């Protein structure tokens, strides 16, 4: 291919004639636009304007100019002739030239309208066959000669023309008739002429070569011409769907069923062809697989979705043409074909968008088409600039030479490409088509539209800007004025914010999803713009994942709309009951899109944030996390509506039909698979990253490990959870039993794999599974008469799986993955179980709070991994030690902030910070007792892993021999101990009281652990276990009381103790132990904590901790009095002792507490080993010996003494029993006829004075009495 | 094993157990008699509390209909046990040093709360509204006076511990020993606020006028004790008598342990405790009127707490500030 010119510069002055042409063209097109209502006049004026093009071509001259001018003339004869002939026919028959009267001609005169539409599109340069490229040639000539202004004017004119052409086509051919019109007799010749011209148009579109040679000859060129080769032959990959589209269309006339079968076969054949194809480079292969794969599912989905729709044949026809053009885009190895397919993609998808042909769809389609076509025209300009500078369209040649073109030119070309791609991807400010088009299109199309068509824009960025141009070249272009990468970054971030915020306020489901697409695309582009190989990989992983997730979401949304006809989110209330599989898949995809494990979205989100952090783009990472929090808000809202609201719709709504379900199922499977086994995707993607790195002269960073490593225990729990869910569909009772068995098996799994855990984590994991089994047993009775038990048991089990996995984590990805798994969606589902408005609200709040907390940790961990360059937790510590303080401090702060938030420290907004009181009590208890311990556990584990005192002292300190960093945590915990303890005293809600108390006790654990001394850690760990046993007992007892009495406020209870003696006994013993009554186990661990506080110089914290046990005592006593003692209320009178499934767990826990109280060595000996294992000086502990610390006392001795003294006193007490115990009425000062309820002093009436003073001190006003939130 | 045996003796015979019981009842007797004299009455004989106790032992046990029997009857038992053990945890300067295995000052401090807790449980479990009110007041009072005592203990512990080269000590033995060589903390200006705070603490802890609010006979008819009778009530009397010994003994150990050994030390200690009982308890309760619970609560937040905080701060500053 001969190179036309070496360097572009405006050497020749443009001929006047060209300028006349340009002015004629632009003025003409504008005039045509302005004469719009009159079709006849528009056609005439635009025909005249078109001559402007020819004049430009001739005026510029040269091979391209002349050839282009003559070709254009020829094309115009055929195509414009077709427009004129068919237009004339339509106008004559309608009897009006007014566009408003011509509306709906498509239905009155299908053939003529089709020909007319075909003509108009051809004139614009579009058709199912290749479009004309004479304009291309003329523009090229202008650019080649350096006539930028001429070229620009012509491009603008083309865009103007597109506007009125589209309006005309839509109104005449596509819109439904607004009025009935008597048709006039047809003109005789018009239609035959049009048919002939149409045939001619097809011919010269399909085989332009002879026609081109003819034009060249006419222009006086001989031999190997200087006219550039615009197109290469189409690849077979394109031809399969393309020709197949025509075949399917034909089949449709024979039999719809046959058509559907054919369509599916064809779609699968396309995927297969792409999969086995070997001549695609890595980028193309990835996108081709993605495009064809999602498209195949679109066809499968459509077989059901379109089963009864109008114009299904046309739908399939354009669908396959779109598939062909998408695949074609990836097969292009030169800019000509790339552009052709780009245009075809827009055009074919346009027909899918407007498929329903209503006003909304047409309007959306118009905007869609105009914006994308406009963008494409701009891109075309860029393509021509490139060719003019380099002399070739071939990617390989461009890639080779692009490095040497002047920055200004390169920047212009790059910017043009960027605009074209940005429109398609939907970047702000070019996004306005997207939220219109996605909801307006049939749902079968909106999925791929969001999922893959926007990705075509991304493909453009990657392929052209990064793989062909290269990052290095883009940097060089920045010399021309501004940096395209930065622009992309800004646009990406702007789009992200815009999308998230709009989605947040969007009441319509599909529009919400569309805005979310914007946000996700924004993320992808922002990450892509970072420009490293790692960032490219990350962005591409999310491209593939988002395509799958968003398609699923749209498909499920489509199913909802199809079955109910409702588009608003609010209208879908409770639909999860009627369409469990579809809604379930929707929920799954929502969780994935929120970036929650173990789904694919989590992997790519993690990767993206890691990539951003790796390049120091912390702000981008933070922005993504903020966006993620917003995402949680609006995605969880829909899931909540689907599952946690009562169903109010029609009773005949059924599950989605099989074809839709199949597509949704495959996508759901892909989401899970992608989350668990990302290696296959990463393998494809890594090669793209290598390409980009190679081109951009970047270091191709090794991919981080993005596989969560599942320990046996967590695997058992996770698989078990799925089984529980399935079993729960038929039998709730068996699901409960199975869940208990699963957790016992998980415990066994942990023990079998003991080598996988460090000692601390092994102990925690064993407690997690063990206490989990007890709570699960309790909940089988607690929920006996509840709904959706299987769902609850499964979610509960997933939480536990997350916790077990967390314990086993050895790398950062696994750690954070399980962290999210334990505290995100499963937890939310479990605690929102009651499905009341309050439960939903409170559950959501906690979900949101957890997300925020996890986001801090996420960013921190990403920074740690990025700065140290390792994911291995074991290797992080030494690497951190070598880093400068400024690199370490923010990362570590974020991580620990997340951990401290998990433990709900500084509980000023308890309703956000803690699990809601409305959650089923066994899960409340579990969260309080076990799950939240992950906070202190994490602090301890990461403190050690990150380098212990050596590292943290670098960050500041020491105070009292403790690094400032840890000192701050201690103080936060200390303040919380007092604050939460005092708040607990104020509570009258059964669970709120316990919840505040939990925070207070977590404060003890966290404070002690953060002292970082042997004694502190020992005391913290001992209280860790003791509180686990004690608080769980309290919750389970409270739960038993609630089930027995159906009460949620303490004031509704009273006198239960006589009716539920075992429950009461367990409660009182555990409560007093928690309050620190010697010699019970709760006191032993608190004693060590007090000692540790004072011995490490924290006398203020120590005193605060000691005083706060009084608050615990007051709270526990209030509870005990109000619920179990005192006079009974009406609700309490009917109560009976809890069923065996509730009593057994309480008894086991209480027994353990008592045993530990007697022989604390049982805990201390293992804790001593753990403390040593963590690298602290181990404390001396024996099974029977005293507690550690100065003047350690021995609870065993004290207990024995207590027992002896008590035994001596018992006979004295029994003296009074000789004649039997007399049951007497209480003294009521003579008022003997008062019923017990009248003489009762309820929880609200206790502690009046302290209550008022604490309220004043803590600014806690007395709340209006409303349920649990009082 | 011998140490355990010694501990058992300490708990059952001396200085806890039998000895403490007799001492406590005798102190109660003296208190009643002296109080009567101060009020111009004759008063009961010194041994009246012993008679009362024996008589109660032969009464029948009555339990209110709505009460949870086990808890109702266990409350006085647990309270008495706690105080019997507590008595063995209080050192007598020069005579007795408690076994560290049994517990230290912190254990004693928490055991000292157990009688209060038992009274609360008793009041609550009885099902009586008077009991419930008594329970509520007891808790409020505890919230008021526990803060100061914790800080007092911390101040004394730190004063000793810092002088001995570590942060703090919670060994009463060590505190006593330190004062024996360095003089009473009563005369240590830095601990004067603590002494003052303790002077407010013990009447509240012992539940005497002006802080007998939970049991106020004229208002809530002895509150938690209203429904008790027979041996159970007797056990509460025992608990109360023992508590006087423990609290006063604690005060002595904290602020004014005698620097002697042998019989002289024991006699001196007895003298101290009797004087404290008659001056601190009897004279106070006959000369003051009862406060309302809200007055008492605010009072404790205002004075003893501030004093105690001042004391701890002074100790910390005296030892060279925070670090």
């Amino acid at each position: 291919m001969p190179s036309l010119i070496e360097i572009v510069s405006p050497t020749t002055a443009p001929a006047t004639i060209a300028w006349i042409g340009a002015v004629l063209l632009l003025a003409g097109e504008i005039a045509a636009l302005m004469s719009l209502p009159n079709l006849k006049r528009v056609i005439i004026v635009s025909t005249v304007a078109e001559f402007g093009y020819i004049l430009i071509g001739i005026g510029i001259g040269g091979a391209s100019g002349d050839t282009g001018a003559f070709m254009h003339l020829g094309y115009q004869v055929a195509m414009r002739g077709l427009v004129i002939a068919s237009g004339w026919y339509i106008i004559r028959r309608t009897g009006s030239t007014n566009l408003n009267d011509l509306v709906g001609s498509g239905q009155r005169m299908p053939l003529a309208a089709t020909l007319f539409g075909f003509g108009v599109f051809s004139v614009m340069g579009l058709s199912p066959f290749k479009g004309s490229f004479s304009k291309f040639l003329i523009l090229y000539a202008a650019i080649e000669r350096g006539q930028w202004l001429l070229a620009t004017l012509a491009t603008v004119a083309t865009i103007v023309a597109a506007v009125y052409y589209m309006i005309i086509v839509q109104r005449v051919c596509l819109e439904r008739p607004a009025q009935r019109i008597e048709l006039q007799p047809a003109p005789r010749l018009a239609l035959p002429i049009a048919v002939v011209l149409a045939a001619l148009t097809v011919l010269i579109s399909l085989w332009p070569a002879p026609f081109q040679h003819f034009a060249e000859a006419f222009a006086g060129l001989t031999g190997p011409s200087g006219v550039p080769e615009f197109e290469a032959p189409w690849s077979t990959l394109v031809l399969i769907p393309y020709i197949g589209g025509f075949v399917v269309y034909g089949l449709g006339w024979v039999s719809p069923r046959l058509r559907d079968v054919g369509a599916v076969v064809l779609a699968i054949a396309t995927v297969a062809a792409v999969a086995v194809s070997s001549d695609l480079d890595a980028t193309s292969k990835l996108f081709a697989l993605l495009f064809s794969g999602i498209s195949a599912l679109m066809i499968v989905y459509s077989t059901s979705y379109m089963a009864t729709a109008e114009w299904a044949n046309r739908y399939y026809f354009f669908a396959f043409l779109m598939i062909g053009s998408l695949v074609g885009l990836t097969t292009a190895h030169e800019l000509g074909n790339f552009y052709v397919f780009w245009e075809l993609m827009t055009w074919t998808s346009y027909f899918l968008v407007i498929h329903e042909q209503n006003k909304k769809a047409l309007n959306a389609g118009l905007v869609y088409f105009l914006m994308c076509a406009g963008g494409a025209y701009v891109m075309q300009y860029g393509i021509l600039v490139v060719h003019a500078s380099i002399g070739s369209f071939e990617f390989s040649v461009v890639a080779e030479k692009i490095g040497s073109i002047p920055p200004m030119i390169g920047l212009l070309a790059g910017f043009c490409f960027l605009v074209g791609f940005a429109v398609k991807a939907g970047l702000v400010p070019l996004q306005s088509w997207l939220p219109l088009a996605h909801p307006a299109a049939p749902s079968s199309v909106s999925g791929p539209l969001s999922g893959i068509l926007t990705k075509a824009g991304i493909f453009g960025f990657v392929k052209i800007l990064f793989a062909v141009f290269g990052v290095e070249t883009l940097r060089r272009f920045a010399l021309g004025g501004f940096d395209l990468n930065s622009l992309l970054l800004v646009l990406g971030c702007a789009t992200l914010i815009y999308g998230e915020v709009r989605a947040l306020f969007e009441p319509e489901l599909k529009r919400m999803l569309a805005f979310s697409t914007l946000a996700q695309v924004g993320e992808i582009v922002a990450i892509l713009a970072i420009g490293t190989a790692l960032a490219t990989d990350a962005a591409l992983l999310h491209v593939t994942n988002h395509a799958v997730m968003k398609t699923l979401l749209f498909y499920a949304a489509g199913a909802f709309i199809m079955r109910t006809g409702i588009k608003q989110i609010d209208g879908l209330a409770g639909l999860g009951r009627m369409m469990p599989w579809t809604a379930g898949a929707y929920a799954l995809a929502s969780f994935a899109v929120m970036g929650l494990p173990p789904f694919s979205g989590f992997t790519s989100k993690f990767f993206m944030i890691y990539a951003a952090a790796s390049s120091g783009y912390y702000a981008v990472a933070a922005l993504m996390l903020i966006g993620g929090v917003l995402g949680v808000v609006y995605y969880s809202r829909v899931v909540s509506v689907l599952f946690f609201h009562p169903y109010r719709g029609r009773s005949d709504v059924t599950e989605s039909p099989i074809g839709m379900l199949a597509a949704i199922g495959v996508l759901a499977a892909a989401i899970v698979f992608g989350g668990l086994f990302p290696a296959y995707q990463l393998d494809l993607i890594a090669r793209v990253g290598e390409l980009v790195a190679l081109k951009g002269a970047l270091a191709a960073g090794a991919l981080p490990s993005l596989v969560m490593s599942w320990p046996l225990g967590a695997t058992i729990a996770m698989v078990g959870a799925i089984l529980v869910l399935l079993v729960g569909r038929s039998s709730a009772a068996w699901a409960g039993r199975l869940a208990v068995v699963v957790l016992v098996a998980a415990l066994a799994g942990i023990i079998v794999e003991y080598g996988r855990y460090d000692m601390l984590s092994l102990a925690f994991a064993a407690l997690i599974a063990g206490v989990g089994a007890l709570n699960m047993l309790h909940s089988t009775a607690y929920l006996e008469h509840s709904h959706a038990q299987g769902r609850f048991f499964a979610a509960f089990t997933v939480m536990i799986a997350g916790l077990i996995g967390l314990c086993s984590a050895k790398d950062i990805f696994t750690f954070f993955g399980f962290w999210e798994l334990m505290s995100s969606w499963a937890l939310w589902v479990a605690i929102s179980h009651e499905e009341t408005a309050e439960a939903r609200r409170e559950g959501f709040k906690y979900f949101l709070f957890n997300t925020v907390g996890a986001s801090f940790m996420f960013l921190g961990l990403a920074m740690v991994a990025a700065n140290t360059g390792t994911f291995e937790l074991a290797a992080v510590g030494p690497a951190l030690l070598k880093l400068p303080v400024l690199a370490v401090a923010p990362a570590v702060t974020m991580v620990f902030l997340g951990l401290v938030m998990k433990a709900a420290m500084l509980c000023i907004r308890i309703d956000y910070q803690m699990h809601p009181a409305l959650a089923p009590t066994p899960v409340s208890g579990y969260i309080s007792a076990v799950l939240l311990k992950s906070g202190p556990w994490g602090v301890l584990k990461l403190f050690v892993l990150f380098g212990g005192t050596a590292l943290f002292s670098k960050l500041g300190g020491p105070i009292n021999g403790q690094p400032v960093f840890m000192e701050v945590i201690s103080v936060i915990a200390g303040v919380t101990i007092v604050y939460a303890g005092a708040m607990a005293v104020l509570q009258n809600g059964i669970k709120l009281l316990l919840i505040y108390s939990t925070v207070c006790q977590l404060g003890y654990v966290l404070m002690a652990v953060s002292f970082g001394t042997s004694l502190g850690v020992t005391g913290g760990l001992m209280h860790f276990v003791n509180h686990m046993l004690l608080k769980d007992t309290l919750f389970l007892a409270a739960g038993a009381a609630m089930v027995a009495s159906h009460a949620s406020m303490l004031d509704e209870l009273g006198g239960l103790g006589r009716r539920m003696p075992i429950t009461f006994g367990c409660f009182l013993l555990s409560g007093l132990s928690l309050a620190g009554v010697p010699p019970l186990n709760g006191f032993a661990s608190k004693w060590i904590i007090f000692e540790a506080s004072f011995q490490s110089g924290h006398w203020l914290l120590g005193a605060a901790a000691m005083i706060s046990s009084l608050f615990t005592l007051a709270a526990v006593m209030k509870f005990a009095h109000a619920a179990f003692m005192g006079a009974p209320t009406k609700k309490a009178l009917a109560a009976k002792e809890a069923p065996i499934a509730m009593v057994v767990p309480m008894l086991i826990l209480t027994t353990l507490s008592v045993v530990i109280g007697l022989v604390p060595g049982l805990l201390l000996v293992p804790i001593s080993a753990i403390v040593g294992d963590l690298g602290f000086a181990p404390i001396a502990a024996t099974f029977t010996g005293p507690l550690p610390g100065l003047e350690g006392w021995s609870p065993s001795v004290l207990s024995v003494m207590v027992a002896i003294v008590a035994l001596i006193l018992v006979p004295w007490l029994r003296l009074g029993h000789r004649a039997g115990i007399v049951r007497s009425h209480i003294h009521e000062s003579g008022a003997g006829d008062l019923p017990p309820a009248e003489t009762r002093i309820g929880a609200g009436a206790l502690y009046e004075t302290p209550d008022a003073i604490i309220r004043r001190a803590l600014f806690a006003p007395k709340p209006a009495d409303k349920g649990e939130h009082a | 094993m011998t140490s355990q045996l010694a501990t058992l003796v300490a708990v059952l015979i001396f200085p806890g157990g039998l000895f403490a019981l007799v001492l406590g009842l005798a102190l109660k007797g003296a208190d009643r008699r002296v109080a009567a004299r101060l009020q111009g009455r004759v008063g009961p004989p010194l041994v009246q509390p012993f008679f009362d106790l024996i008589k109660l032992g032969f009464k029948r046990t009555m339990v209110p209909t709505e009460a949870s029997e086990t808890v109702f009857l266990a409350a006085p038992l647990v309270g008495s046990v706690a105080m019997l053990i507590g008595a063995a945890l209080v050192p007598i300067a020069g005579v007795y040093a408690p076994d560290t295995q049994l517990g230290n000052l912190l254990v004693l401090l928490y055991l000292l709360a157990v009688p209060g807790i038992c009274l609360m449980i008793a009041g609550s479990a009885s099902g009586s509204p008077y009991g419930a009110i008594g329970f509520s007041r007891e808790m409020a009072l505890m919230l008021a006076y526990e803060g100061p005592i914790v800080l007092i203990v911390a101040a004394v512990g730190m004063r000793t511990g810092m002088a001995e080269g570590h942060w703090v000590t919670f060994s009463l033995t060590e505190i006593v020993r330190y004062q024996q060589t360095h003089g009473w903390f009563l005369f240590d200006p830095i601990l004067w606020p603590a002494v003052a705070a303790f002077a407010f603490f013990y009447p509240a802890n012992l539940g005497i006028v002006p802080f007998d609010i939970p049991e106020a006979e004229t208002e809530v008819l002895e509150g938690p004790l209203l429904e008790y009778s027979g041996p159970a009530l007797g056990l509460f009397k025992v608990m109360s008598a023992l508590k006087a010994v423990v609290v006063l003994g604690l005060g002595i150990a904290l602020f004014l342990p005698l620097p002697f050994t042998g019989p002289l030390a024991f006699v001196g200690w007895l003298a101290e405790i009797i004087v404290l009982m008659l001056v601190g308890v009897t004279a106070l309760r006959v000369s003051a009127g009862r406060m309302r619970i809200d007055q008492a609560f605010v009072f404790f937040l205002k004075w003893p707490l501030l004093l105690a905080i001042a004391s701890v701060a002074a100790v910390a500053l005296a030892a060279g500030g925070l670090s």
Side-chain angles (χ1 to χ4, degrees), chain A residues 960 985 1055 1057-1059 1064 1068 1072 1075-1078 1083 1087 1090-1091 1094-1097 1099 1103 1105-1107 1109-1111 1113-1114 1117-1118 1120-1121 1125-1128 1186 1190-1195 1197-1198 1201-1202 1204-1206 1208-1210 1212-1213 1215-1229 1236 1239 1241 1245-1250 1253, chain B residues 4 7-8 11-12 53 57-69 71 73 77 80-81 84-85 100-104 106-107 109-111 114 117 120-121 124-130 132-133 135-136 139-140 142-143 146-147 150-151 154 158 166-171 174 221 226-227 231-232 235 293-294 297-298 301 312 316 322-323:
Chain A
N960 292 338
V985 179
R1058 281 197 68 195
R1059 288 153 191 89
F1064 177 39
L1068 194 62
L1072 292 179
V1077 171
F1083 177 70
W1087 183 90
F1090 301 151
E1091 279 283 328
F1094 280 100
Q1095 301 302 355
S1096 60
W1099 51 272
M1106 284 168 74
I1107 292 169
S1109 8
L1110 255 290
F1111 292 136
L1113 177 68
M1117 285 305 301
K1118 182 182 199 173
H1121 168 77
M1125 299 190 279
L1190 284 178
E1191 311 114 27
W1193 58 288
S1194 167
V1197 172
L1198 185 56
M1201 294 301 159
V1202 166
I1204 292 173
V1205 177
I1208 291 175
L1209 288 185
V1210 163
W1212 168 264
L1213 196 59
L1215 277 179
H1217 293 21
R1218 281 161 309 175
I1221 294 175
V1222 179
R1223 283 279 176 185
S1224 64
H1225 286 290
I1226 53 169
H1227 176 72
E1228 289 173 334
S1229 301
T1239 59
I1241 303 222
L1246 294 175
Y1247 313 158
E1248 203 178 346
T1249 309
I1253 288 184
Chain B
Q4 263 93 333
T7 310
L8 191 59
V11 169
L12 293 181
L53 192 61
F58 292 94
K59 298 276 182 193
R60 288 171 73 180
T61 300
M62 292 171 78
V63 177
T65 42
E66 272 308 327
S68 175
E69 186 186 309
V71 174
L73 292 179
L77 182 77
S80 310
V81 170
L84 280 169
I85 306 268
T100 52
Q101 293 259 321
L102 193 59
N104 62 357
L106 287 185
V107 177
L109 197 60
Y110 277 79
L111 278 177
V114 172
I117 296 172
M120 288 195 267
I121 291 177
S124 174
S126 68
S128 153
Y130 300 109
I133 293 168
F135 149 55
S136 172
M139 190 66 236
M142 258 177 109
L143 282 172
E146 281 289 334
V150 163
L151 291 167
M158 284 162 69
H166 39 100
W167 265 102
V168 72
T169 179
F170 289 122
S171 160
E174 196 179 337
L221 317 173
L226 171 60
E227 298 297 336
L235 279 181
I293 182 67
D294 56 324
F297 194 82
V298 173
L301 287 194
V312 173
L322 282 171
S323 46

Side-chain angles (χ1 to χ4, degrees), chain A residues 1149-1233:
Chain A
L1149 290 166
T1150 311
T1151 310
L1152 284 173
S1153 296
V1154 169
V1155 169
I1156 290 170
L1158 281 171
V1159 192
L1162 288 177
L1163 263 188
L1164 281 168
V1165 171
I1167 285 175
S1168 171
I1170 289 170
V1171 170
D1173 186 53
L1174 288 170
F1176 299 96
I1179 43 114
T1182 56
F1183 281 107
T1184 52
L1187 294 177
L1190 284 178
E1191 311 114 27
W1193 58 288
S1194 167
S1196 315
V1197 172
L1198 185 56
S1199 305
V1200 170
M1201 294 301 159
V1202 166
I1204 292 173
V1205 177
L1207 281 177
I1208 291 175
L1209 288 185
V1210 163
W1212 168 264
L1213 196 59
R1214 301 280 305 182
L1215 277 179
H1217 293 21
R1218 281 161 309 175
I1221 294 175
V1222 179
R1223 283 279 176 185
S1224 64
H1225 286 290
I1226 53 169
H1227 176 72
E1228 289 173 334
S1229 301
D1233 56 347

Side-chain angles (χ1 to χ4, degrees), chain A residues 502-524:
Chain A
R502 287 297 302 266
L504 197 57
F505 296 105
E506 181 54 53
E508 191 188 319
L509 182 56
K510 278 171 76 175
R511 271 174 72 85
M512 185 204 92
L513 293 176
F515 282 122
S516 155
T517 296
L518 279 180
Q520 301 280 328
V521 166
E523 273 177 19
I524 292 169

Side-chain angles (χ1 to χ4, degrees), chain A residues 476-500:
Chain A
R476 204 173 60 79
F477 287 170
L479 296 174
F482 64 94
D483 185 7
L484 286 176
N485 265 28
S486 306
L487 178 66
L488 260 189
L489 190 70
V490 170
L491 291 183
C493 291
T495 311
L496 164 62
I497 299 166
Y498 176 83
E500 299 284 16

